[in-house]
Amino acid sequence: MPLPPPAPLPPPPSRPLLLASTSIYRRELLARLRIPFDVASPAVDETPHLGEAPAALAQRLALAKARAVAARHPDALVIGSDQVADLDGQPIGKPGDHARAVAQLQAMRGRTVVFHTAVAVVEAASGRAWEAMATVKVRMRPLDDAQIERYLQLEQPYDCAGSAKCETLGIALLEAIESDDPTALVGLPLIATSHLLRQAGLDVLQEAR
């Protein structure tokens, strides 16, 4: 008896989905949801405002990134995200080079660092926007200078806020992680993102390929 034909694939989404980011980490995370999307650079100035709290900075930039791309693609649904590390209320950005990474890890060792990861979904055609925030508490080990130097030489995480990649060797720098959205620390909270997309009318399970 011949096998029945395969079930047809679901129709493509009615609106293009765009990720407003140049981050390879966010691109890889969003790909886990198995929904078609493209990437666009938001080209947003990420300089903090004077006295701006880390969580407020992350939230402002996530929305600004999504809106910047949505303005160029009014027919699309656009995801923007931003992460800011918070040590005692002060933002910790991407180190950019070895010396700054050393200084960041020395300041954080033996301490608890809070990572605020904001996500926004914008639909320019309707003017609607949906926002969420995931917060991760990370307790760092009391590392000595030699351990910090060895880690940085091996991984060179100079494009990561807080100078560590928890998804790879950076996990060895940590004592504990506390979060209700496990991918938030890497850069895109997928639970929150899926929720916002549902609010915007895109069901991830229906659109997955």
Side-chain angles (χ1 to χ4, degrees):
M1 177 180 295
L3 294 174
L9 291 174
S14 57
R15 295 164 292 176
L17 182 65
L18 291 176
L19 175 63
S21 178
T22 57
S23 166
I24 61 171
Y25 309 110
R26 291 194 178 101
R27 184 183 307 181
E28 290 170 354
L29 286 171
L30 187 57
R32 294 183 189 182
L33 297 182
R34 299 177 59 173
I35 52 177
F37 71 94
D38 289 311
V39 176
S41 172
V44 167
D45 182 2
E46 299 187 21
T47 305
H49 292 167
L50 184 63
E52 189 171 27
L57 172 60
Q59 192 167 30
R60 175 175 65 82
L61 291 179
L63 185 59
K65 291 175 182 179
R67 282 179 169 164
V69 170
R72 305 197 304 266
H73 302 274
D75 61 330
L77 201 58
V78 182
I79 301 169
S81 185
D82 193 78
Q83 182 184 82
V84 179
D86 176 346
L87 182 63
D88 296 334
Q90 296 301 312
I92 300 174
K94 299 172 184 177
D97 60 37
H98 184 81
R100 290 188 180 91
V102 170
Q104 283 189 358
L105 290 177
Q106 287 176 338
M108 296 188 302
R109 57 187 169 191
R111 309 281 299 281
T112 295
V113 184
V114 180
F115 288 80
H116 305 282
T117 307
V119 60
V121 172
V122 169
E123 183 183 63
S126 67
R128 294 184 298 173
W130 301 264
E131 300 177 72
M133 175 76 77
T135 300
V136 183
K137 292 183 179 179
V138 175
R139 190 164 71 247
M140 304 290 294
R141 291 175 50 214
L143 305 162
D144 60 35
D145 289 348
Q147 290 171 319
I148 289 173
E149 183 65 25
R150 176 159 176 76
Y151 169 70
L152 293 177
Q153 291 293 344
L154 288 170
E155 194 139 74
Q156 301 182 14
Y158 307 137
D159 61 343
C160 299
S163 302
K165 296 181 181 180
C166 70
E167 66 273 27
T168 50
L169 182 59
I171 200 72
L173 308 182
L174 314 182
E175 286 189 341
I177 297 174
E178 180 184 334
S179 174
D180 56 5
D181 206 330
T183 61
L185 188 55
V186 183
L188 184 65
L190 290 182
I191 293 175
T193 299
S194 298
H195 176 68
L196 295 186
L197 289 174
R198 286 195 301 273
Q199 288 186 312
L202 190 157
D203 189 314
V204 170
L205 287 176
Q206 291 296 325
E207 304 292 353
R209 301 289 189 268

